[in-house]
Amino acid sequence: MTDTLPEAPMGTVHDLEDHRPRTVPVTLVKDDHTADTADTADAGGVEAVDRADNPLADWLTVPDAPVLPAWARSAASVRANVHAFIRLSWWQARYHSVRTPKYLVKTLILAARGFYRACKGLWPTLSAQDHSAAVKALRAQAKARPEDIELATRLQIAHAERTRTRRWRFGTAAIAVAAATIGICLADPLLQTGMTAAVVAPLAHLGRSKETRLLDQGAPPLKVDMSAQQLNDALRAAGLLKAGSAKDEKAPAVFCSMGPVRDGRGWAVVFDLPRGGGKTASDVLAKREVIAQELGVDEIQVIMSRVRAAQGGNAGRVSMWVADDDPYLGAPNPSPLATAGRFSVWDPIPFGQDARGNRIEVPIMWQSMFFGGLPRRGKTFTQRLMTAAGLLDPWVRHYVADGKGGADWMPMKAVAHRLVMGAEDDAVTALKAMLAELLVEMERRFALLRELPASICPEGKLTPQIVERYQLPVIFVTIDELQEYFTAMERDDREQVINDLCRIARRGPAAGFVCNFASQRPDAQSVPTKLREIITLRYSTQVVDRTSSDMILGSGKAAQGADASVLSEDHVGTGVLVTGPASYVTVRADYLDGPGFTALCVKGRALREQAGQLSGDAAGDVTAAADAHGVTLAPIISDVLEVMRHSPRMFTNDLIAALVNLDEDTYGDYNGERLAADLEAAGVKRTSKQVKINGANGAGYQRRDIEGAVPAELLLNSAG
């Protein structure tokens, strides 16, 4: 039995492409494995030019170098350098213009010297010294041979020729000088100036020497003329580069990927530390003071930061900007909020400017804030910027507590849903009640947000649409001088308040709570660490040392460069803003003074009345209602009602102390008799001169007696 092959089916269709010879891809590689390597290259997606076995790879590789110089790679850099050139030219023009008389005197002196040199140089020609040599030689020969008549004749002819030459040369020079003098005298004044300059300029040029400098050296007003060599010397002195001579080509040096170039009112440079030295960008930031000293500037002028991978950096790349002078001095920058008609807190809040003049804006939604620093350094003014933005948004409800009880936050009575002033017993009680109210509101909001569908509340957080649809305004919780409350409380109350604040700061942002706390030196006793550590945004004005700076900005921040202790007493309103674990900037905060803040409070009250969002203490505030109705209350009535906000009755001594704390200039000299006289003159009728508080009797006042001096219609409106 034999096997038979199956017959091929009739009419089989053959594709001609399968029978055509394959073409070998073109490659630049010249070896016996061209096809294999080409297939491998195609499979791996590697271009032939980039392959290591390509002999032309080095020649065909596109250079990895910038096409434009560093100063021309961005519009901002071009503008900065053009502005710097214009400023430098204007400075040089002013510098030399005031020295013009000095330059004219120096020019005349040089011209006189040049005239002397010109006369000295022309004298051989005018005196025909070229003929004098022949005359002298013939005279010497004639003395030696007086009998030689031919020699005497030649001497006479040479002497006569020299005399004629002198006459016409001196005559020509005299005619030229006379003609020039007459021409200058007869010319117009403008032409005289030009002719004089045409004569004096070459003479002054002739009179100069190698050491002569007509113009003074006009050095530009820069404290640093940075170069790569200076940078390397500074880093080497700081121990960030290995020791070596500056002229040693083998000495380790940084690689400047940009600059040094002019950038605004300073120098900018981005550099990489050399490998093998074991130093990182963090080491450079920690040596800021030493580097500044080596560059000959104050450390406040040196702004350094790491360049992260997202910006093309690495662990050894540093961006440094050195200002010509202190960038945080000068006239304050007015806050744009002062002239704004309305603002949405869902947008970043304008906060200030950095050293280069760039605007700094701070997003506050889902954040909590802490402000710290020494007294009278602008801490409260800066903290009020955040509140000012909330004043211009009618869908923001304010809860405010001021442990100092002064006048800084007094204008908030027109807007605040709750306002606690001072740290006395009644104020502490009011603060605890305010926090309890906030906790109840927070839990109510979370319960509502959990019930909302994902189409309305996709992330379980408050949104601008939910705010207006469900009447859930954003809540600002502002507490100034936080340490005053903690020091005034008993231990149990203190722990309870701390726990309440931590709950609000930790969970509140998702429900639309924005915490804004401030203290002077937040140590463990005044502001506990567990409260500070959960706050995301931190700002510190000047403090006494690096330890205090770390207490406010976070542990280890000073070593990273975020050090508020380098600020001086002159840096009022300037502080270090930390926005993340490795993000910080020194900011000169915008300026909003007391009258401006008061005007914003009045504007904020009007916005809330229009939107139907005026509530709480502001809706029942007598003095604010009087202002709204154009009624003027006696200042003593308004101030007494303010300090008795949380008390139905107060002893006279306590009332005077509270008034002094409110306005020491006005009430510093008050006593019981003067207070009683002023209140009586304002219309206050006391039902009793004695009050009983906690079982103790003493001279004092009832709040209802003070309110009796207020027009009844205002009390009715405020109550409604």
Side-chain angles (χ1 to χ4, degrees), residues 35 82 152 155 188-190 236 263 349 356 393 439 451 579 584 635 641 652 675 692 695 716:
V82 170
L155 174 60
D188 294 333
L190 183 62
R236 189 170 291 110
D263 184 1
I349 294 178
R356 305 192 195 191
D393 190 339
L439 290 173
E451 298 298 328
T579 57
Y584 66 90
L641 287 176
T652 300
L675 177 62
K692 185 176 182 179
L716 293 176

Side-chain angles (χ1 to χ4, degrees), residues 66 90 99 180 260 274 353 365 386 421 425 495 525 536 624 658 669:
W90 173 237
R99 290 165 174 79
Q353 295 183 0
M365 292 305 297
M386 303 303 179
M421 301 297 293
D425 293 341
E495 290 298 325
Q525 286 72 31
T536 53
D669 298 330

Side-chain angles (χ1 to χ4, degrees), residues 571-623:
H571 296 126
V572 178
T574 299
V576 180
L577 174 66
V578 172
T579 57
S583 302
Y584 66 90
V585 60
T586 302
V587 183
R588 190 180 185 194
D590 294 334
Y591 180 67
L592 180 63
D593 59 8
F597 184 71
T598 302
L600 286 181
C601 289
V602 174
K603 187 182 298 184
R605 183 181 181 90
L607 290 173
R608 282 157 178 77
E609 288 176 343
Q610 295 173 5
Q613 290 298 309
L614 191 65
S615 61
D617 294 348
D621 187 83
V622 174
T623 55

